[in-house]
Amino acid sequence: MGKKILIRRGTLVLPHKRLLVDEDILIEDGVIIRMGKGIQDPQAHVIDASSLLVGPGFINLHVHFREPGEEKKEDLLTGSRAAVKGGFTSVVCMPNTKPPIDTPMVVRFIGYRSQEVGLTNVFPCGAVTVGCEGKNMTDFGLLKKAGIVALSDDGKGIQSARLLYLAFQYSRYFDLPFLLHEEDEEIAGGGHMHQGEAAFLLGYRGIPEAAEDTMIARDLVLALYTGAKIHITHLSTAFGVELLRYFQKFIPVSADVTPHHLLLTDQDVAQMGNFAKVKPPLRSKKDVEALKEGIREDVIEILASDHAPHTAEDKEGGFVDAAFGISNLEVAVPLYVKALVEEGVIDWVNLWRKLSYNPAQFLNLKERGMLEEGKIADITIVDPDTEWEVAVNQFESKGKNCPFDGWSLRGWPVYTIVGGRVVMRERSIVDGEFC
Ligand code: DOR
């Protein structure tokens, strides 16, 4: 008989049923074997979850782990430690590594290395085009066989409409969804922040909303005609939400929003400087309100953080030369709690649904995203009440490029259990305790 864990006296979040219930959970050999009231098992290690929320492990559809090639910024060990510290039992890692995830060899390397690390589940996202250069398609079939779960050239929008049209048609043979970074480079014009009054006053070249919205509109039409499964990642504009709302009448398109696009605007760039430089750029208050409304109405069904770690050198110097990106994996959940739960946009159950059940459904991960007897024991436990400060110098991630340092937040993950192994306990990484 395997080792058992009994989680007692917690409030269970059941996002697939949209319910909260006061029950215990018994785990054995990596699987949830019982759920119910007053479970007793003298052989089990007991976790007391009084006044805590216990739900399916969080799944982040958008992270950059930088390995292979840019291990100075992040690697699969530090990225995985940051993930479980942040309550994420699964992540999808983007292909803009060096080399990119455009061959089966790189996909397999990430698979082997992340298993060796053995913390969070790492699902690689394959490149749509060779070298993420937007010119020639990769071999989707071979990449899928090696283990990719989705396709993207994230970091760049795919500029050629014809290439993407063909890629959408081709993807249907392999049932692979697209995670689309929407940016028309000609319209973006090499800009550095959102085009608006703040950019004008600071003297930086702006990135208009039209750079994102024209690509979203184009890709929704292409998906309509090809039947490709598409997801708009890091959505940032008000009109993007309108486009989604309209097209959802015809096709099952989904989208995600990052915590920074919900909590910051272009007005924050003046004070936060390079740490607020990100793609898509921090937009206006009007855009933030529209994103929240889209989340409230379930037009936006998924939350994903676009964890983009960079070295200090990449973020130093002038704003124009600094890299785009925010490191946020271990603070994403409390940031979403601040932006959405504390603001009354959605409740805890819906928040959890957008962080676990919905991304699991999107990726077709049938054994994850739910608390049910027989499912894999990927579980996150959150303390909804205690307030802690963001301390970037204590990040597991190598990326300290986070504009939220010093913010006081609630809703921190306090236990992360992956496949029945406790890998994070009381906000510290532990190596598979009680397993
Ligand atoms: O700000 C960003 N940084 N946006 C992206 O889409 C890519 C990412 C990165 O790779 O650093």
Side-chain angles (χ1 to χ4, degrees):
M1 195 164 46
K3 291 268 168 64
K4 294 184 190 172
I5 301 174
L6 176 58
I7 306 172
R8 295 190 61 198
R9 290 188 281 270
T11 298
L12 304 192
V13 187
L14 307 180
H16 67 298
K17 294 185 179 167
R18 298 182 188 268
L19 273 182
L20 291 174
V21 294
D22 288 330
E23 287 187 0
D24 302 338
I25 300 190
L26 186 61
I27 299 166
E28 185 175 16
D29 289 333
V31 174
I32 298 170
I33 58 163
R34 258 186 79 194
M35 289 168 56
K37 288 198 191 297
I39 300 176
Q40 303 278 349
D41 189 323
Q43 280 143 22
H45 173 88
V46 174
I47 295 175
D48 181 1
S50 312
S51 68
L52 303 177
L53 297 170
V54 181
F58 298 132
I59 299 171
N60 194 334
L61 279 192
H62 193 141
V63 306
H64 295 269
F65 278 0
R66 309 293 192 203
E67 189 175 353
E70 289 193 295
E71 292 84 356
K72 269 195 191 162
K73 294 176 193 256
E74 193 77 290
D75 58 42
L76 285 157
L77 175 62
T78 55
S80 299
R81 288 176 71 92
V84 296
K85 179 105 178 268
F88 292 99
T89 54
S90 296
V91 296
V92 176
C93 60
M94 289 297 124
N96 60 342
T97 48
K98 291 188 178 161
I101 309 178
D102 61 358
T103 59
M105 194 175 74
V106 181
V107 180
R108 290 206 187 91
F109 165 77
I110 291 170
Y112 295 139
R113 180 70 193 124
S114 54
Q115 274 188 12
E116 202 170 60
V117 168
L119 290 168
T120 193
N121 301 297
V122 177
F123 295 103
C125 180
V128 180
T129 67
V130 176
C132 294
E133 283 173 351
K135 294 196 182 105
N136 301 303
M137 257 186 268
T138 55
D139 190 325
F140 298 173
L142 285 183
L143 292 177
K144 171 144 185 182
K145 216 167 150 201
I148 65 163
V149 294
L151 291 159
S152 182
D153 272 2
D154 184 68
K156 284 184 183 167
I158 294 165
Q159 304 302 301
S160 163
R162 175 156 178 81
L163 185 140
L164 196 62
Y165 179 58
L166 295 175
F168 278 4
Q169 287 178 325
Y170 183 43
S171 74
R172 294 190 48 202
Y173 295 100
F174 308 105
D175 194 23
L176 280 169
F178 285 80
L179 305 176
L180 294 167
H181 171 120
E182 302 292 28
E183 182 187 6
D184 181 309
E185 285 170 12
E186 281 186 351
I187 300 176
H192 303 288
M193 66 176 284
H194 172 67
Q195 187 174 68
E197 197 193 19
F200 178 76
L201 292 174
L202 289 166
Y204 297 135
R205 198 180 302 161
I207 305 174
E209 283 145 312
E212 189 168 336
D213 294 342
T214 51
M215 291 288 262
I216 295 175
R218 180 198 75 175
D219 296 349
L220 288 166
V221 173
L222 294 180
L224 179 77
Y225 282 110
T226 56
K229 184 173 172 188
I230 70 164
H231 172 90
I232 315 296
T233 194
H234 48 46
L235 179 66
S236 75
T237 66
F239 196 66
V241 181
E242 277 303 320
L243 286 167
L244 266 175
R245 192 180 279 119
Y246 178 73
F247 272 85
Q248 282 174 347
K249 293 183 199 150
F250 309 106
I251 52 173
V253 54
S254 58
D256 67 66
V257 177
T258 71
H260 41 273
H261 287 108
L262 294 170
L263 287 165
L264 305 175
T265 69
D266 59 340
Q267 302 289 334
D268 292 304
V269 173
Q271 211 221 318
M272 290 177 164
N274 296 358
F275 280 2
K277 185 175 178 186
V278 66
K279 263 192 185 174
L282 302 173
R283 301 276 186 197
S284 68
K285 203 161 180 297
K286 175 196 86 182
D287 293 301
V288 171
E289 290 313 313
L291 292 172
K292 287 185 178 167
E293 188 52 23
I295 288 170
R296 200 185 59 75
E297 288 176 17
D298 284 340
V299 170
I300 298 165
E301 294 171 326
I302 293 176
L303 299 168
S305 80
D306 189 10
H307 169 68
H310 288 289
T311 59
E313 301 86 75
D314 290 330
K315 277 293 198 182
E316 270 164 17
F319 189 76
V320 167
D321 297 320
F324 289 94
I326 289 176
S327 173
N328 61 16
L329 197 45
E330 42 216 292
V331 294
V333 171
L335 289 173
Y336 282 127
V337 170
K338 181 176 176 63
L340 299 173
V341 179
E342 292 180 357
E343 292 275 312
V345 179
I346 52 175
D347 62 14
W348 267 104
V349 180
N350 202 2
L351 178 81
W352 217 294
R353 190 174 164 96
K354 289 175 197 287
L355 283 165
S356 62
Y357 179 70
N358 291 346
Q361 292 289 300
F362 176 78
L363 293 172
N364 211 11
L365 303 175
K366 296 204 165 53
E367 298 304 311
R368 303 181 202 276
M370 281 184 233
L371 291 186
E372 239 179 26
E373 288 174 8
K375 300 286 180 203
I376 293 176
D378 282 1
I379 294 174
T380 303
I381 304 182
V382 168
D383 179 341
D385 298 318
T386 312
E387 209 164 314
W388 280 291
E389 266 188 20
V390 176
V392 166
N393 61 3
Q394 284 167 28
F395 271 14
E396 296 289 340
S397 171
K398 290 182 191 175
K400 313 296 180 201
N401 50 304
C402 178
F404 301 105
D405 196 27
W407 283 36
S408 218
L409 302 171
R410 285 197 194 87
W412 294 82
V414 288
Y415 275 87
T416 306
I417 301 174
V418 179
R421 295 167 58 229
V422 178
V423 289
M424 188 274 281
R425 176 169 53 87
E426 287 160 18
R427 307 181 61 223
S428 296
I429 312 298
V430 287
D431 194 6
E433 268 188 358
F434 326 129
C435 63

